[in-house]
Amino acid sequence: MWSADEIAELCYLHYRTGLPKQGKPDPNREWTTLAAVVKVEFATQRVVLASPGNLQVRKEVVAMGTGTKCIGQNKMRKTGDILNDSHAEIVAKRSFQRYLLHQMWLAASHQQCSIFIPGTETGKWKVKPNTIFVFFSSHTPCGDASIIPISEPENQLSKPVTGDIVAGQSAECRSNCDRLGPEEKRKSEKMESNHVIKRMKTNNDGSFFVITEDLAVQQVSVKREGSTNPNSCECSSEMQTANEETGLGRPKVVDVYRTGAKCVPGELGDAQIPGLGYHCVGLLRVKPGRGDRTCSMSCSDKLARWNVLGCQGALLMHFLQYPVYLSAIIVGQCPYSQEAMRRAIIERCQHISFLPDGFFAQEVKLLQSNLRFEHSRQAIQEVQTNSKMKLVPCSAAISWSAVPEQPLDVTSDGFRQGTTKKGIGSPQSRSKICKVELFHTFRKLVTSISQEDLPDTLRMKTLETYWDYKEAALNYQEAWKMLRSQALLGWVKNAKEYLHFT
């Protein structure tokens, strides 16, 4: 079969040997994050997810991305030619969509090497039953999944937790986080050793559990209408004392890893109590910008969305009978919590109902590898222990897709690396995975298929803009509407003006 370590090693090997030096960090002073999609093909039609076993499989990296950056709202463009979000997970997912578009072209051209086979409806396709996709990320996704308790062994309780430990927060988001002011920094570094957590979960009734101080867990209710301060957590009178968790040989929880991702505007905010109570969990968040706020949702939120809607996006859903789901998500060696990952990616959306046929809230397999990425922040820090040079996130993002033409793409600040101010707006400045480029690839696919072989949603339709084609994917849009209204209410959507390009 396959294991988390095997998938991680395959991705690291592809990074080392399959990608050139261009876009990779300078290991003397830079770090980055890696993500990838691995195709797993089984020798038989039987698909088994359990790691042990003798079932023969073929594993292949089909998409890869690196990156830690995100552009601010003021840099967004209405022409669709800039990458708004260059976090590794998003670059890998968009690279995967490029791979899927190529595979769909192979299928429509009646080439047997495609991963797709005909569905039961005209113009619709589905993934071969012996093929699954596994997502890998070298670091825990930014946002809710990165709010992880920091434990301290019983025999080290007198040892204070240092700022360096807290600095091991979500690497991607910290790279963009605004610098804390002196007072805020002082508060965040002030930690008590008498904290413990009993549980950290979300409920389906609109309430959350927030890690708090003073040996307790408070239930946090979503305060909506009539709230005098709608941007903060309201603590209910119910408080669950966690004293019984101490003294039983369990390590005490002394703090939480912070995420740089900010709570979405107009919704609940973090309590920002120093120590365990700093964050509320289960909330939607946007990635931070350097002074200029972004409109990009956190990677945790996007993974939760993909777990219901699939990774293919609205455009490809025109051609698909079922969404393309991830069967497993694997995280490399880094601060990790299985409970936080489940909460962020699965539990927030598992109560969704009234989804169109084919859409489900997946019980995706969540695993961690023991192997660490060579260019991760932690790895570079260890190597450069005695160096006085400040470590910084790599400014470049690498996109790689298993496609025959121009598989590699290196960008910086949302455009192809090396683009000058004068060159911005030219076709040469665009990443192959920006909206307009993926849209053009999609339209080429549509025009290559005869009208009678097109799916109903595309046949004899007058569709022009990117927005038109996305909205015409009716089942996808209905699923997204159900998901947003029931679980992801505060999701920050791009204004229509940013989607009306051709």
Side-chain angles (χ1 to χ4, degrees):
M1 276 295 292
W2 54 270
S3 68
D5 283 352
E6 287 173 350
I7 296 294
E9 180 54 43
L10 182 67
C11 295
Y12 295 156
L13 179 65
H14 185 83
Y15 175 82
R16 286 194 300 268
T17 63
L19 302 184
K21 189 176 180 181
Q22 183 189 8
K24 291 180 179 178
D26 176 354
N28 293 315
R29 63 183 188 88
E30 293 180 325
W31 55 272
T32 195
T33 304
L34 174 74
V37 179
V38 176
K39 179 181 71 171
V40 180
E41 286 183 325
F42 296 84
T44 69
Q45 296 295 306
R46 183 175 166 227
V47 177
V48 182
L49 282 180
S51 295
N54 298 318
L55 195 65
Q56 289 187 335
V57 298
R58 180 175 178 268
K59 302 182 292 291
E60 177 190 1
V61 176
V62 295
M64 181 165 280
T66 71
T68 65
K69 303 288 186 178
C70 197
I71 68 165
Q73 188 173 1
N74 291 333
K75 287 189 176 181
M76 290 174 62
R77 291 166 60 86
K78 297 176 183 178
T79 45
D81 59 357
I82 189 170
L83 275 181
N84 296 335
D85 189 341
S86 294
H87 281 215
E89 295 95 325
I90 312 309
V91 174
K93 184 257 194 179
R94 297 186 71 83
S95 302
F96 182 49
Q97 288 178 324
R98 190 179 176 211
Y99 163 79
L100 291 177
L101 280 164
H102 175 66
Q103 291 294 314
M104 188 60 71
W105 180 83
L106 291 176
S109 305
H110 306 291
Q111 300 189 40
Q112 292 184 346
C113 55
S114 173
I115 62 168
F116 294 113
I117 57 175
T120 56
E121 302 173 39
T122 302
K124 296 279 191 175
W125 303 82
K126 59 185 180 181
V127 176
K128 290 177 179 176
N130 67 327
T131 301
I132 65 169
F133 295 100
V134 176
F135 192 85
F136 174 79
S137 178
S138 64
H139 199 280
T140 307
C142 67
D144 197 52
S146 284
I147 304 174
I148 301 169
I150 300 175
S151 299
E152 190 174 53
E154 289 289 331
N155 60 358
Q156 294 180 2
L157 286 178
S158 59
K159 184 178 177 181
V161 182
T162 67
D164 288 339
I165 295 177
V166 181
Q169 302 150 9
S170 173
E172 307 100 312
C173 270
R174 284 286 296 179
S175 70
N176 280 326
C177 194
D178 301 328
R179 295 194 176 278
L180 298 175
E183 179 65 16
E184 192 175 358
K185 190 171 184 179
R186 182 187 67 78
K187 286 181 180 179
S188 69
E189 291 175 350
K190 182 185 176 184
M191 299 175 197
E192 305 290 343
S193 61
N194 63 336
H195 305 313
V196 69
I197 179 173
K198 185 175 182 182
R199 57 177 177 162
M200 184 173 62
K201 291 184 179 179
T202 59
N203 283 348
N204 291 342
D205 61 0
S207 61
F208 306 86
F209 284 101
V210 57
I211 309 168
T212 61
E213 298 183 279
D214 302 326
L215 303 175
V217 173
Q218 294 179 356
Q219 188 172 351
V220 177
S221 300
V222 181
K223 191 170 186 180
R224 304 220 181 255
E225 296 179 14
S227 172
T228 55
N229 184 6
N231 296 320
S232 63
C233 298
E234 180 196 21
C235 298
S236 74
S237 58
E238 290 185 49
M239 193 176 279
Q240 297 177 319
T241 305
N243 298 37
E244 66 270 19
E245 291 290 329
T246 58
L248 299 177
R250 295 185 180 93
K252 286 188 176 182
V253 175
V254 294
D255 205 334
V256 291
Y257 287 100
R258 308 278 194 269
T259 177
K262 313 296 184 185
C263 297
V264 295
E267 294 291 311
L268 284 171
D270 286 317
Q272 297 189 345
I273 303 167
L276 298 181
Y278 191 86
H279 284 306
C280 288
V281 297
L283 305 182
L284 289 174
R285 297 173 181 273
V286 291
K287 289 164 182 166
R290 296 199 165 179
D292 181 19
R293 197 178 188 111
T294 80
C295 291
S296 298
M297 301 300 293
S298 74
C299 290
S300 292
D301 297 334
K302 290 186 176 183
L303 280 161
R305 175 179 171 171
W306 304 342
N307 199 45
V308 178
L309 302 184
C311 288
Q312 74 293 320
L315 296 182
L316 265 168
M317 203 62 219
H318 282 287
F319 289 102
L320 292 171
Q321 190 159 333
Y322 309 109
V324 178
Y325 288 116
L326 300 170
S327 294
I329 298 172
I330 297 170
V331 175
Q333 188 192 80
C334 66
Y336 178 89
S337 163
Q338 185 76 5
E339 187 175 6
M341 285 285 287
R342 273 198 64 83
R343 178 191 69 234
I345 296 171
I346 299 174
E347 292 177 357
R348 289 191 292 176
C349 302
Q350 66 184 173
H351 63 283
I352 299 299
S353 57
F354 303 112
L355 288 168
D357 289 346
F359 288 88
F360 302 95
Q362 303 296 300
E363 187 69 28
V364 63
K365 198 174 183 70
L366 302 173
L367 302 167
Q368 187 183 26
S369 166
N370 293 312
L371 305 179
R372 187 166 66 180
F373 179 42
E374 63 188 271
H375 287 155
S376 69
R377 185 179 191 172
Q378 293 87 348
I380 299 298
Q381 278 177 333
E382 285 188 11
V383 173
Q384 301 297 329
T385 303
N386 299 320
S387 175
K388 294 182 179 179
M389 193 173 292
K390 183 183 177 182
L391 295 183
V392 295
C394 182
S395 61
I398 302 173
S399 161
W400 181 89
S401 303
V403 297
E405 295 182 15
Q406 292 182 264
L408 186 75
D409 202 45
V410 181
T411 57
S412 182
D413 291 323
F415 294 107
R416 279 236 181 119
Q417 194 174 53
T419 299
T420 62
K421 283 188 177 180
K422 190 177 179 180
I424 290 175
S426 66
Q428 292 75 27
S429 69
R430 300 174 190 159
S431 163
K432 287 292 183 184
I433 58 170
C434 71
K435 285 186 179 73
V436 72
E437 284 291 323
L438 289 178
F439 180 45
H440 289 173
T441 304
F442 172 78
R443 292 191 71 169
K444 287 178 184 175
L445 170 65
V446 173
T447 55
S448 72
I449 302 171
S450 61
Q451 278 288 321
E452 61 268 22
D453 291 332
L454 285 173
D456 287 342
T457 52
L458 294 175
R459 200 180 308 149
M460 306 302 291
K461 298 288 196 304
T462 306
L463 305 172
E464 296 181 3
T465 67
Y466 178 72
W467 168 267
D468 293 338
Y469 277 93
K470 281 172 69 77
E471 288 298 300
L474 300 178
N475 59 345
Y476 182 91
Q477 295 302 339
E478 179 63 20
W480 180 211
K481 179 182 175 182
M482 290 295 105
L483 176 59
R484 207 166 57 245
S485 64
Q486 296 177 54
L488 307 178
L489 279 76
W491 191 279
V492 177
K493 292 184 69 180
N494 287 335
K496 293 180 183 180
E497 61 198 71
Y498 291 104
L499 305 173
H500 279 296
F501 53 83
T502 57

